Amino acid sequence: MTITLAATAASALAFALYTRVVWPFVLLGWVGLAPWLAALGGARTLRGALAIGWLFSVAFVLAVFSWFATGIAAYTGIPLPIAFALLVLGAPLLQPQLLVYAGARFLAAGRRPGAVTPAAALAAALLYVGAEWALPKLLGDSIGHGLFASPRIRQAADLAGAPGLTLALLLVNECALAMGQSLASAPGSLRARLARLRAPAACAAAILLALTGYGTLRLAQLAGQIPARPLLTAGVVQADISRYGELARELGTYDAAQGILAAHFDLSRQALAQGGVDLLVWAETVYPATFGTPKTDAGASLDREIAAFVADSRVPLVFGAYDVDAKGEFNAAVFLEPGRGGRFEFETYRKSWLFPLTERVPRWLDGERVRGWLPWLGTWQPGSGAQVLPLTLPDGRRLEIAPLICYDATTPGLAIAAVRAGAELLVTLSNDAWFASGEGPHLHLVVSAFRSLETRRSQVRATNTGISAVISPTGELLAAAGVHERAAIAAGVPAAPASGTLMLAWGDWFGPFALGVGLVLLGAIRWMRTK
């Protein structure tokens, strides 16, 4: 038991460093699971394997997502120890694929779980990836996202997204374990042990070379396809203002909104002063009111202030606000163009993917009693899905834009559908203040950046507290503002390359494919064993 605990802790610590997505820690991803896999190989029953999977889910969540407990405490007001207790209890729900992987690996290995065959390792790894698709995770994370730190390896995301990179990591970790076991095994001479090392070493090298080779070739191809002239110059405002509700209580709703707008007007002027800006982008819900359908005269006055600023600057603006209709209120992105004759010319996108509980509550759970216990529960309604909105730039060009709001960017489907419908650019708005501290803002940035890799579309990302960025079709951060930095970014945004991607052609295909093939392979292994 002591060995299992030590091995589990070692793997959790390795991935706590790996998920920082910086060199050289990213190298730990290729070997960091090996200690836990060795412990898993010691399980003698399915129940024991699942217990080791549960243990690692708890250790992994505490090591990698401790910031989430801080965010829960800050958002809901519950004591931090209770938030950590909830995190521990919810660990199997946050990382369900670990239990699936532990159980599948045991079933595939049979009576000798410590000696996993290549077929058994492949079946378990495929089911790990398939489980992440069938049981979507709350934060949209996968260990494959950590490979974003490698400019070459991350290019393979246009084939199979982060799930494909996750599969590669799992298989190389299995190879690392097999190599370690070959060197440590007692029987045979050193030469014999080295001979047993060849197969897993060759497998690991082949995976790494294939990923690196593909990335090198793809970067060379894209370099010749992406036009030298930028698609546009974007101005991104990060005002580092959060806690809009607290500001409203302290200053009053109108004064708080006016102060927020004044800060954004000032930073926008700083961006415009850098010259040639074609589009201004502000963060999610930066305007804490309904735009275009004001509820009060004061709200109508604020609407006119925003419209007047856009008219004076002659640069279109995309910003976060609310929208409302008979169904309820929506989290929205407003596309506002310079008007003529004092008229508002705008279109609105409504956020499609709402964060559970804090933004939307399922009907079976909603009620006055529950809301009395949990006053922070959300009331927003979901939008209708992917959308492409046109925007006229100052030079008269018409640009097709795919808007994404915060949680929208955690799933490939919306961005892929929008690009298929003609989107030339991704514009992502987010409010990341609820992360409070830790690696949350970095994780959200990386997950969002995968949408650009999968679709080969540049992305302009604006958040209120960071990390705002301009992301190229190859995943490069062309400009960025750090966490709690007040900034006005003006940066050129590359046009899309001529070639498409497998993800655009097939959609988010690899998860269901891995699940199906993994189940068939596991079934075949067990059937062959009975024969």
Side-chain angles (χ1 to χ4, degrees):
M1 182 63 178
T2 302
I3 294 175
T4 297
L5 288 172
T8 300
S11 286
L13 177 59
F15 272 82
L17 296 172
Y18 161 74
T19 51
R20 291 181 179 271
V21 198
V22 293
W23 290 97
F25 292 153
V26 72
L27 299 176
L28 290 172
W30 300 109
V31 297
L33 279 177
W36 176 65
L37 293 176
L40 190 59
R44 290 295 175 263
T45 64
L46 178 59
R47 181 180 295 178
L50 293 175
I52 294 173
W54 170 84
L55 180 64
F56 187 49
S57 75
V58 172
F60 187 92
V61 165
L62 287 175
V64 178
F65 296 105
S66 58
W67 55 265
F68 192 37
T70 308
I72 292 172
Y75 192 90
T76 64
I78 64 176
L80 187 59
I82 294 179
F84 269 103
L86 292 173
L87 194 66
V88 169
L89 291 173
L93 299 176
L94 291 172
Q95 303 296 324
Q97 80 287 353
L98 295 176
L99 275 73
V100 172
Y101 185 56
R105 196 172 184 271
F106 179 86
L107 292 174
R111 296 181 181 179
R112 299 182 62 205
V116 176
T117 65
L122 178 60
L126 287 168
L127 288 172
Y128 180 112
V129 173
E132 289 193 317
W133 171 80
L135 306 168
K137 290 191 284 186
L138 185 64
L139 301 174
D141 61 285
S142 184
I143 58 175
H145 286 121
L147 294 177
F148 181 77
S150 171
R152 287 182 173 82
I153 290 177
R154 71 185 180 214
Q155 304 309 319
D158 70 359
L159 297 175
L165 299 180
T166 294
L167 180 67
L169 278 167
L170 293 170
L171 295 178
V172 172
N173 272 279
E174 290 280 12
C175 292
L177 174 63
M179 288 187 282
Q181 290 174 333
S182 296
L183 289 173
S185 58
S189 64
L190 177 60
R191 179 177 293 180
R193 291 200 294 271
L194 289 175
R196 290 196 293 270
L197 195 70
R198 289 175 190 159
C203 176
I207 292 172
L208 292 170
L209 286 172
L211 289 173
T212 305
Y214 176 81
T216 301
L217 292 173
R218 195 74 168 109
L219 284 172
Q221 181 188 42
L222 293 171
Q225 292 184 352
I226 297 176
R229 182 180 178 181
L231 178 67
L232 78 159
T233 297
V236 182
V237 169
Q238 180 175 298
D240 192 27
I241 300 175
S242 59
R243 310 296 181 198
Y244 298 148
E246 292 180 11
L247 283 175
R249 286 190 293 271
E250 292 173 6
L251 304 176
T253 303
Y254 178 80
D255 288 342
Q258 195 168 49
I260 292 168
L261 289 180
H264 283 77
F265 291 153
D266 182 57
L267 289 168
S268 296
R269 292 186 186 99
Q270 293 180 34
L272 293 168
Q274 298 178 49
V277 172
D278 300 296
L279 170 66
L280 285 169
V281 184
W282 297 351
E284 176 189 12
T285 59
V286 71
Y287 183 51
T290 55
F291 183 85
T293 53
K295 299 177 181 178
T296 64
D297 291 342
S301 173
L302 293 173
D303 283 4
R304 289 193 294 271
E305 282 190 44
I306 298 175
F309 175 81
V310 172
D312 291 343
S313 67
R314 299 182 181 179
V315 173
L317 169 67
V318 177
F319 65 99
Y322 301 161
D323 195 18
V324 65
D325 66 13
K327 297 179 181 178
E329 204 163 60
F330 300 82
N331 186 341
V334 177
F335 283 54
L336 178 61
E337 296 183 1
R340 297 180 181 85
R343 291 182 293 107
F344 290 3
E345 295 185 8
F346 71 96
E347 292 193 59
T348 303
Y349 164 76
R350 295 171 171 178
K351 184 176 181 179
S352 297
W353 285 71
L354 299 174
F355 199 83
L357 300 184
T358 59
E359 292 189 326
R360 191 188 185 200
V361 181
R363 289 183 180 179
W364 60 268
L365 183 61
D366 205 354
E368 291 184 10
R369 179 176 296 180
V370 174
R371 289 192 177 275
W373 295 335
L374 307 173
W376 45 266
L377 291 175
T379 58
W380 280 332
Q381 300 299 312
S384 58
Q387 197 171 348
V388 179
L389 295 180
L391 204 61
T392 302
L393 303 182
D395 62 5
R397 285 181 295 143
R398 198 75 166 163
L399 187 67
E400 301 290 335
I401 296 177
L404 301 171
I405 301 178
C406 194
Y407 208 46
D408 286 342
T410 62
T411 176
L414 286 175
I416 288 173
V419 172
R420 284 175 172 173
E424 303 167 79
L425 174 70
L426 307 180
V427 170
T428 302
L429 314 182
S430 189
N431 179 347
D432 288 354
W434 71 274
F435 286 127
S437 62
E439 295 300 308
H442 199 186
L443 170 65
H444 202 186
L445 168 70
V446 168
V447 172
S448 298
F450 267 73
R451 307 295 83 87
S452 288
L453 290 167
E454 293 156 357
T455 63
R456 297 300 178 190
R457 293 299 185 273
S458 291
Q459 183 175 167
V460 178
R461 185 172 191 267
T463 75
N464 56 343
T465 56
I467 303 171
S468 300
V470 175
I471 306 167
S472 78
T474 62
E476 182 182 358
L477 301 185
L478 301 176
V483 178
H484 292 306
E485 177 183 350
R486 192 164 187 156
I489 297 172
V493 180
S499 62
T501 71
L502 192 62
M503 287 287 286
L504 281 175
W506 292 3
D508 190 15
W509 67 277
F510 195 68
F513 171 82
L515 181 62
V517 174
L519 288 172
V520 170
L521 185 55
L522 177 60
I525 291 170
R526 301 216 18 114
W527 180 78
M528 290 293 290
R529 190 175 297 125
T530 63
K531 297 297 181 181

